[in-house]
């Protein structure tokens, strides 16, 4: 289970990175790659080992409003356990998924799927229009990565 | 969809938000208040028992429903059965482009309980297997031959075969790794069709539907909650719940009811954080290298969880009955006396857990009926219907859940109490025997609420 503190750290870093790297709605794999690398930088606080080295490349394109939910998958396992972020209805977020295996990410209910390339982060912008609990799943291999809890 | 069974309950996309803590406590307090209120209003003579025959409907109306309307429904049901089986067997393998998973797990499995309570034992007219057997018998008789069962059903087996078939179905739904796979469903439907037709041929249609056909037994139990019934070829109407007055001495009834309750409890629990994390911990070491092994381990874990949930339900009831028997020095086991009081609780468990799934996922049946095999057809002109997943708010779902559980609790208490005053000559015994039953009902209801409130 993810600790609150851990989540805060990730969110704080994610927000910082979002500020630094910017996050326009368009597809920008190189930028996103930096995003995740930077995000995983403080992960040594978690017991898992991380192969990524911190190499922050600040790119001053400020867009702080969109929250990022970062999911890193090692060997089909979400790092830090199944994530359970809570969102308010109407909130806009960006899911960033980087997995070492799997070919697809699927958000149930919203029926959003995104092709994955192992090791490359995928960005899935999402507006939380539906309330409820929604599973975010990795496909092939299949694994539950996160459950979005969207409050009315 | 995936092989990971975290989308429990067969098929479904949106899961309910957990009941918030304040609502959980409100519900629990309401349950306790209602219980003590009922204790204060205890009636001395049975109010429900003796009224289960209500009054008959007008003869013409009764004949209309049991004759032409039934035959029309049976025809439709066989056609639908053919379509669903064809979809499962030949249609698109994506569960959401195929009618079969949504039809079986949502329209049939969640719709029939509600229909049974509202309209009586409609499964008699809607069961495709019964319709096929009826048609076969009609043809035989047309040819001048008599249709006779091959054997007499061994009564001591009671409802255990039905409990086993129901368990097999809920295991397919909740334990099997890929319940919504159309091909798996086709296999299950084929197997069950064979078993049911065999059972009906061997022991007679009515006998098998009373003892071995899990769905028929289930829907017949639910129909006893509601006002409509058929007795000796005549339809009648009665007060709700009166059909559940009395004892249920058919062996295996407790096992059957425990499968009903336990499976819903397990389904709820399998959606909690605790269970999801446990399943992920069991499966994750194997996800990449041996996904088959990981899946097998989670399947076994889920099967264990399902069986434990059923055992807990049955064990709690057995303990409450033993305590009641000890309290009043009853000469015989009280298990058959109060088992029917669990039926309304089983029904409201279904309502509380699946109301939103039925309303949300059920909408997908509308476009799928036009394109059952996922071939891009538009048979009924509804293929473009877009389900509205925001049609009920989480708040509505919460209130339905709490309301249903409290109502079922009241109904269960009323039935148990009514039975107690029938069984025990002394009022004191009747009251004292109900203290363990009250505890049991509170346990079931608050336990059900608790599962729904777990994130």
């Amino acid at each position: 289970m993810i600790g609150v503190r851990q989540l805060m750290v990730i969110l704080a870093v994610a927000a910082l990175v979002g500020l630094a790297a910017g996050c326009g709605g368009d597809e920008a794999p190189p930028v996103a790659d930096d995003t995740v690398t930077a995000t995983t930088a403080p992960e040594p606080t978690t017991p898992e080992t991380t192969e990524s080295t911190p190499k922050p490349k600040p790119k001053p394109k400020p867009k702080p409003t969109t929250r990022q939910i970062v999911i890193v998958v090692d060997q089909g396992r979400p790092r830090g356990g199944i994530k359970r972020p809570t969102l308010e209805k109407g909130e806009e977020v960006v899911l960033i998924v980087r997995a070492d295996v799997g070919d697809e990410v699927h958000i149930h209910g919203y029926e959003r799927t995104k092709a994955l390339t192992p090791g490359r982060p995928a960005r899935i912008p999402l507006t939380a229009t539906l309330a409820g609990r929604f599973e975010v799943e990795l496909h092939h291999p299949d694994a539950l990565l996160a459950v979005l809890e969207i409050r009315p | 969809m995936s092989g990971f069974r975290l989308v429990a309950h067969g098929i479904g996309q949106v899961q309910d938000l957990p009941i918030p803590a304040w609502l959980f406590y409100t519900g629990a307090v309401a349950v306790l208040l209602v219980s003590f209120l009922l204790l204060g209003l205890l009636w001395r003579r049975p109010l429900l028992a003796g009224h289960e025959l209500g009054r008959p409907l007008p003869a013409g109306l009764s004949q209309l429903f049991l004759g032409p309307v039934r035959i029309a429904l049976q025809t439709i049901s066989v056609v639908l059965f053919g379509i669903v089986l064809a979809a499962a067997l030949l249609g698109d393998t994506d569960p959401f482009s195929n009618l079969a998973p949504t039809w079986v797990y949502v329209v049939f499995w969640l719709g029939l309980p509600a229909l049974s309570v509202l309209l009586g034992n409609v499964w008699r007219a809607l069961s495709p297997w019964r319709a096929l057997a009826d048609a076969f018998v009609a043809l035989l008789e047309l040819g001048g031959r008599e249709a006779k069962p091959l054997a007499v059903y061994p009564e001591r087996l009671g409802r255990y075969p039905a409990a086993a078939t129901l368990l097999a179905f809920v295991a397919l739904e909740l334990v099997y790794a890929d319940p919504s796979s159309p091909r798996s469903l086709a296999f299950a439907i084929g197997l069950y069709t064979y078993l049911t037709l065999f059972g009906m041929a061997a022991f007679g249609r009515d006998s098998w539907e009373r003892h071995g056909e899990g769905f028929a037994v289930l829907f017949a139990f639910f129909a006893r909650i509601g006002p409509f019934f058929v007795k000796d070829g005549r339809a009648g109407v009665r007060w709700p719940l009166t059909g559940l007055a009395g004892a249920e001495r058919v062996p295996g009834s407790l096992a059957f009811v425990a499968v009903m309750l336990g499976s819903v409890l397990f389904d709820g629990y399998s959606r909690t954080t605790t269970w999801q994390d446990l399943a992920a911990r069991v499966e994750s070491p194997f996800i990449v290298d041996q996904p088959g092994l990981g899946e097998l381990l989670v399947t076994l874990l889920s099967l264990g969880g399902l069986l434990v949930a059923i055992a807990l339900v049955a064990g709690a009831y057995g303990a409450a009955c033993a305590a009641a028997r000890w309290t009043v020095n009853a000469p015989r086991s009280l298990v058959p006396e109060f088992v029917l009081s669990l039926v309304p609780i089983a029904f409201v468990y279904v309502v509380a857990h699946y109301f939103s799934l039925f309303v949300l996922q059920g909408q997908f049946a509308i476009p799928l009926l036009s394109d059952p095999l996922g071939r891009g057809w538009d048979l009924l002109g509804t293929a473009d219907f877009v389900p509205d997943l925001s049609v009920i708010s989480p708040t509505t779902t919460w209130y339905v859940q709490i309301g249903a559980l409290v109502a079922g609790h009241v109904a269960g208490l009323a039935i148990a109490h009514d039975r107690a005053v029938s069984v025990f000559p002394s009022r004191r015994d009747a009251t004292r025997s109900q203290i363990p039953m009250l505890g049991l009902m509170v346990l079931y209801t608050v336990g059900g609420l608790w599962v729904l409130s777990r994130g």
Side-chain angles (χ1 to χ4, degrees):
Chain A
M1 205 161 131
I2 185 161
V4 175
R5 208 160 41 107
Q6 216 174 333
L7 186 67
M8 295 305 271
V9 169
I10 292 171
L11 289 183
V13 173
L16 270 178
V17 170
L19 207 94
C23 45
D26 57 331
E27 290 297 313
V31 175
D33 199 5
D34 291 347
T35 304
V36 172
T37 313
T39 305
T40 53
E43 284 284 331
T45 50
T46 60
E48 286 94 349
T49 55
T50 168
E51 83 286 24
S52 58
T53 48
K55 38 171 183 173
K57 290 183 199 165
K59 292 184 184 174
K61 281 189 219 164
K63 182 152 187 224
T65 46
T66 311
R67 184 171 137 199
Q68 297 191 344
I69 295 165
V70 181
I71 302 167
V72 182
V73 184
D74 297 321
Q75 292 292 296
R77 272 181 269 189
R79 189 177 291 176
I82 297 166
K83 290 198 191 318
R84 295 189 172 81
T86 304
L87 283 65
E88 296 300 322
K89 194 173 169 183
E91 194 178 338
E92 288 180 23
V93 293
V94 179
L95 259 72
I96 298 180
V97 179
R98 195 185 63 174
D100 55 351
V101 290
D103 59 13
E104 196 177 73
V105 179
H106 176 201
I107 307 176
H108 282 265
Y110 285 84
E111 285 320 291
R112 298 285 297 277
T113 50
K114 178 93 182 169
L116 277 183
T117 311
R120 308 266 294 190
R123 294 166 45 88
I124 312 164
L126 182 77
T127 307
T129 48
L130 281 177
R133 276 190 288 179
F134 303 90
E135 296 180 340
V136 180
E137 227 182 12
L138 182 71
H139 284 178
H140 314 111
D142 297 327
L144 183 68
L145 302 181
V147 181
L148 306 178
E149 189 167 317
I150 300 171
R151 302 192 166 280
Chain B
M1 196 150 51
S2 74
F4 211 67
R5 97 230 47 275
L6 288 160
V7 182
H9 49 255
I11 194 167
Q13 294 285 19
V14 187
Q15 295 178 16
D16 295 332
L17 286 170
I19 292 182
W22 67 269
L23 202 53
F24 167 75
Y25 288 114
T26 311
V29 168
V31 164
L32 291 177
L33 279 180
V34 158
S35 306
F36 283 107
L37 214 68
L38 277 179
L39 271 183
L41 295 173
L42 291 184
W43 49 95
R44 291 155 187 249
R45 297 186 184 288
L47 289 177
L48 302 173
H51 296 276
E52 59 269 28
L53 292 181
R55 59 168 73 184
L57 287 178
L61 203 61
S62 175
Q63 276 160 18
L64 177 72
F65 280 115
L66 302 184
V69 171
R70 170 182 61 86
I71 291 167
L73 287 175
Q74 288 191 299
T75 314
I76 295 171
S77 137
V78 170
V79 171
L80 270 171
F81 179 72
I83 293 172
V84 172
L85 184 58
L89 206 56
L90 309 168
D92 197 305
T93 52
D94 173 12
F96 294 98
S97 307
N98 191 308
L99 176 66
T102 297
W103 192 265
V104 171
Y105 290 121
V106 181
V107 178
F108 158 75
W109 180 234
L110 307 180
L112 253 302
L115 271 186
S116 304
V117 170
L118 293 175
L119 302 177
N121 193 5
V122 287
W123 187 238
R124 174 66 183 78
L126 294 180
S127 161
W129 301 297
R130 178 64 191 243
L132 289 171
D134 283 354
F136 181 74
V137 169
L139 280 178
L140 268 188
E141 284 171 351
L142 217 63
R145 291 169 59 189
E146 193 190 355
K148 262 195 322 203
L150 304 171
V152 177
Y153 185 79
E155 293 291 333
R156 68 195 157 78
L157 289 184
R159 292 196 170 105
Y160 284 108
T165 51
L166 188 71
L167 178 65
F169 180 77
V170 297
L172 173 74
E173 183 196 19
L174 306 174
V175 171
Y176 179 61
D178 201 3
S180 55
S181 144
R183 299 297 181 266
S184 307
L185 267 180
F187 180 75
I189 294 170
L191 195 67
Y192 194 69
T193 302
Y194 175 76
L195 177 74
T196 303
L197 295 180
F198 176 82
M200 286 180 175
F203 303 115
R205 290 165 289 172
D206 285 329
S207 180
W208 189 248
E209 284 194 331
R210 271 199 307 272
H211 302 109
E213 212 266 83
F215 301 118
V217 172
L218 178 72
F219 301 141
F221 268 131
F222 284 150
R224 290 167 76 173
I225 297 174
F228 295 105
F229 68 99
V230 175
K231 175 90 180 170
D232 302 327
R234 181 81 186 261
V237 57
R238 63 190 173 198
W239 287 106
L241 300 185
T242 52
L244 292 169
E248 190 63 39
R249 302 200 189 282
V250 181
S253 296
L254 174 60
F256 191 89
V257 173
V259 173
M260 289 159 75
L261 274 166
S263 56
V264 182
L265 261 189
F266 171 70
D267 190 12
Y269 191 70
S270 70
R271 282 180 252 174
T272 61
T273 311
T274 322
W275 186 269
Q276 282 182 341
D277 285 340
L278 177 66
R281 242 197 329 278
V282 167
E283 185 168 21
S284 60
F286 307 102
I287 276 186
V288 176
D289 299 324
Q290 294 164 286
L293 178 62
E295 201 173 275
L296 178 70
L297 289 177
V298 177
T299 304
L300 289 176
L301 178 73
S302 299
L303 183 62
L306 176 64
L307 294 176
V308 165
I310 293 168
L312 281 178
V313 168
Y317 177 76
C321 286
R325 183 182 178 183
W326 177 77
T327 313
V328 299
N329 264 323
R332 282 176 292 122
S333 163
L334 296 176
V335 166
E337 308 295 345
F338 300 114
V339 71
L340 291 178
S341 65
L342 305 186
V343 172
I345 298 181
F347 177 69
V348 299
Y349 266 37
V350 172
V351 173
H353 283 262
Y354 302 124
F355 162 73
S356 68
L357 178 70
F358 183 69
V359 175
L360 300 180
Q361 190 66 32
Q363 296 177 63
F364 286 90
I366 298 170
L368 285 171
L369 272 170
S370 272
D371 186 16
L373 276 65
R375 298 275 166 85
W377 300 342
D378 193 0
L379 301 176
L380 310 172
T382 56
D384 294 328
F385 177 84
V386 180
D388 177 6
L389 294 182
S390 58
V391 68
I392 41 169
S393 75
T395 334
T396 312
T397 307
W398 290 334
Y399 290 133
V400 168
Q401 291 177 326
I402 300 268
L405 285 174
V406 174
H409 178 80
V410 172
L413 276 180
I415 291 166
H417 173 70
D418 205 70
R419 187 64 199 153
V421 290
S422 304
V423 173
F424 303 111
S426 105
R427 178 163 193 232
R428 189 160 162 270
D429 279 356
T431 309
R432 283 176 44 185
S433 76
Q434 287 312 287
I435 294 166
M437 298 312 289
L438 182 77
L440 177 78
M441 305 275 176
V442 171
L443 183 73
Y444 282 159
T445 308
V446 177
L449 275 177
W450 177 80
V451 164
L452 291 175
S453 74
R454 298 276 300 169

